[in-house]
Amino acid sequence: ALKLDPDHLLARWTVGRLHEARGEAKEADQTYQAIVEHYNTNAARLGKDAEALCLVGQAAEKYYRAHARGQELAEQLNDLINELYEKALRVDPKCWQGAWLQGRMFLAGYREGDARKELN
């Protein structure tokens, strides 16, 4: 897929996950960072694609969790929810992945009330 389209987000995401599965943390981190940078460069186009927003959100979450701590991490994850997952739901109200990813993040942050709302 990457030979046909070097910017294919699902293929890039899959490469990052494969690096993780192999224990190649540095390579996975670089892949996730590249996905986020690609989004930042192409936000106008990718911002209209709910699936792309969800993939970028997952890559950003992995990257932020590897590089940020405390309040900085909380702020970045909050921005991720508002700017990517919420936007995915606005682009496609039937994008269950956006709601599921939000709910999963709320559960990870021990915000069960917010998680329940999103997961329902």
Side-chain angles (χ1 to χ4, degrees):
L2 289 173
K3 286 181 183 178
L4 293 174
D5 179 4
D7 295 327
H8 193 279
L9 285 178
L10 183 56
R12 283 183 170 201
W13 169 251
T14 302
V15 167
R17 297 291 293 168
L18 288 170
H19 283 307
E20 269 189 89
R22 293 181 189 128
E24 301 164 352
K26 181 179 177 184
E27 292 83 355
D29 186 58
Q30 290 171 343
T31 301
Y32 299 139
Q33 181 180 13
I35 291 170
V36 172
E37 290 172 354
H38 176 73
Y39 172 76
N40 290 338
T41 304
N42 299 281
R45 178 176 54 85
L46 295 174
K48 299 173 185 171
D49 181 342
E51 182 179 344
L53 291 165
C54 288
L55 287 170
V56 171
Q58 291 174 87
E61 181 181 357
K62 295 250 183 211
Y63 183 78
Y64 295 155
R65 288 192 187 280
H67 291 278
R69 297 289 176 263
Q71 186 61 31
E72 179 186 11
L73 176 61
E75 289 172 5
Q76 288 178 331
L77 293 177
N78 190 51
D79 288 346
L80 183 146
I81 288 171
N82 293 325
E83 295 176 17
L84 294 171
Y85 297 148
E86 284 291 329
K87 188 172 186 175
L89 291 166
R90 285 192 304 274
V91 168
D92 179 3
K94 294 181 181 179
C95 178
W96 62 267
Q97 296 92 334
W100 180 80
L101 290 163
Q102 282 183 4
R104 185 180 55 85
M105 287 183 66
F106 287 136
L107 279 176
Y110 303 104
R111 293 175 51 188
E112 292 181 13
D114 292 328
R116 184 173 294 122
K117 175 185 170 227
E118 296 302 330
L119 295 173
N120 283 336

